[in-house]
Amino acid sequence: MSTARPSRRGVMKAAAGLTAMTALGTGGVLASASAAHAAGDGFGLRIVDRNESDARMRYYRFATSAIGWNPGVNVLLPDGYHTSGRRYPVLYLFHGGGTGQDFISFDRMGIRAWTAGKPLIVVMPDGGAAGWYSNPVHSNVGARNWETFHIAQLLPWVDANFRTYAEYNGRAVSGFSMGGFGALKYAAKYYGHFASVSSHSGPASLRRDAGLVTHWANLSSAAVELGGGTVYGAPLWDEARVSADNPVQRVESYRNKRVFLVAGTSPDPVNWFDTVNETQVLAGQREFRGRLGSAGIPHEWHEVPGGHFVRPDLFRRDLDGIVARLRKA
């Protein structure tokens, strides 16, 4: 379903799409996103590794005080980026949880083919094996402030180093599983940053069923991310943080956004991980959709057979909707 767009958008888009811009980085470093621009440091990020040889897929790894190790990011450019001179909308795409998931996950799945010919920059950062797109209450292994890294550092760094629209109608956020939760969370907490939000098998309710998703966030982060620390605090939660991050408690923050939701209806009954995850995803998304509907907030939703896995056909559908919603290149 479509959402409201500024009336001046159509008048300005052609001129704005070709207009060059600059952005001021941390420490007063001026970064220009020209066609042949090599990305530079700024906004608390220092590049320690890079590969800019591929025409579309750029790779960077950063040193940052927000994370106790050097997180990576893939930036997938649209066809013709280097010669068009145009500015493009941006999708921030977040991976799911697990020790095998990272910033390369969507490249392994086929994101280059899914986006071929689409006028869209796709940014795919590390989010930790169980970082939950959050600054944790406590960590025993050093800084793991993923929310700070993504919102305060990476987002302005991308706008400074690539030809983007640094505005509400220029950005979308999406993700799978834990990343789908991260997308819903960021879209609500940082309302003015993202005009479109998508959650593919991502939980939308932290408190239902006695807070099962919150408990899972705490247990998984303690086990593989924080060395016994937790995202939301244990044995007692930081209630203010849970409320701030909980999509079903932030329904008004999705007004005037494009909202796209996917959940599976038939997880594998002999696979406890699949069953527990997608059963909770489905129930939470239904609760969320009910509140969106009661508030009169348009949204597109898909309940489809299967369990907790990425569905390329719905990702492609989502990408088309994102391109249609955001400001044109």
Side-chain angles (χ1 to χ4, degrees), residues 66-181:
I67 306 296
W69 52 278
N70 298 335
V73 61
N74 271 344
V75 179
L76 181 60
L77 302 174
D79 297 304
Y81 175 88
H82 304 289
T83 56
S84 72
R86 294 178 175 174
R87 294 198 166 272
Y88 294 88
V90 181
L91 166 63
Y92 288 81
L93 183 56
F94 299 143
H95 65 78
T99 55
Q101 301 299 307
D102 59 16
F103 72 99
I104 307 176
S105 292
F106 283 102
D107 196 21
R108 298 186 188 106
M109 295 177 200
I111 189 67
R112 300 189 204 204
W114 301 350
T115 57
K118 298 187 189 302
L120 183 71
I121 295 171
V122 184
V123 178
M124 296 162 282
D126 269 326
W132 286 89
Y133 297 88
S134 298
N135 293 349
V137 168
H138 180 65
S139 170
N140 292 320
V141 291
R144 295 293 187 273
N145 295 317
W146 292 107
E147 189 168 341
T148 295
F149 170 60
H150 295 138
I151 301 298
Q153 297 181 327
L154 183 62
L155 190 148
W157 180 87
V158 168
D159 286 335
N161 286 284
F162 297 92
R163 297 195 312 275
T164 69
Y165 292 116
E167 61 183 60
Y168 176 75
N169 283 306
R171 301 191 196 99
V173 61
S174 179
F176 168 67
S177 189
M178 181 183 77
F181 165 76

Side-chain angles (χ1 to χ4, degrees), residues 54-316:
D54 189 276
R56 293 191 63 203
M57 187 69 81
R58 300 299 173 93
Y59 153 73
Y60 305 93
R61 192 170 290 280
F62 304 106
T64 166
S65 61
I67 306 296
W69 52 278
N70 298 335
V73 61
N74 271 344
V75 179
L76 181 60
L77 302 174
D79 297 304
Y81 175 88
H82 304 289
T83 56
S84 72
R86 294 178 175 174
R87 294 198 166 272
Y88 294 88
V90 181
L91 166 63
Y92 288 81
L93 183 56
F94 299 143
H95 65 78
T99 55
Q101 301 299 307
D102 59 16
F103 72 99
I104 307 176
S105 292
F106 283 102
D107 196 21
R108 298 186 188 106
M109 295 177 200
I111 189 67
R112 300 189 204 204
W114 301 350
T115 57
K118 298 187 189 302
L120 183 71
I121 295 171
V122 184
V123 178
M124 296 162 282
D126 269 326
W132 286 89
Y133 297 88
S134 298
N135 293 349
V137 168
H138 180 65
S139 170
N140 292 320
V141 291
R144 295 293 187 273
N145 295 317
W146 292 107
E147 189 168 341
T148 295
F149 170 60
H150 295 138
I151 301 298
Q153 297 181 327
L154 183 62
L155 190 148
W157 180 87
V158 168
D159 286 335
N161 286 284
F162 297 92
R163 297 195 312 275
T164 69
Y165 292 116
E167 61 183 60
Y168 176 75
N169 283 306
R171 301 191 196 99
V173 61
S174 179
F176 168 67
S177 189
M178 181 183 77
F181 165 76
L184 289 172
K185 167 186 168 172
Y186 286 169
K189 290 185 77 172
Y190 304 96
Y191 177 86
H193 285 28
F194 306 103
S196 175
V197 56
S198 314
S199 181
H200 295 258
S201 288
S205 179
L206 291 177
R207 295 185 184 276
R208 69 171 296 108
D209 295 335
L212 183 59
V213 173
T214 306
H215 286 302
W216 178 243
N218 277 343
L219 289 170
S220 60
S221 64
V224 301
E225 182 78 17
L226 302 172
T230 62
V231 170
Y232 290 114
L236 299 177
W237 304 335
D238 184 322
E239 295 289 351
R241 289 198 185 200
V242 173
S243 296
D245 289 2
N246 194 4
V248 299
Q249 293 181 256
R250 304 293 303 271
V251 166
E252 280 301 316
S253 297
Y254 300 95
R255 193 173 295 280
N256 297 323
K257 296 184 186 293
R258 172 185 175 269
V259 180
F260 185 93
L261 303 167
V262 176
T265 59
S266 52
D268 183 348
V270 299
N271 182 330
W272 72 268
F273 181 85
D274 193 60
T275 298
V276 170
N277 271 278
E278 206 63 15
T279 298
Q280 192 61 212
V281 163
L282 181 62
Q285 285 199 10
R286 285 176 173 174
E287 178 186 354
F288 182 52
R289 283 163 27 205
R291 297 196 184 195
L292 290 173
S294 295
I297 297 175
H299 54 285
E300 180 179 349
W301 56 273
H302 299 268
E303 289 188 1
V304 289
H308 198 68
F309 54 82
V310 170
R311 295 167 170 84
D313 59 326
L314 288 175
F315 258 96
R316 291 190 184 96

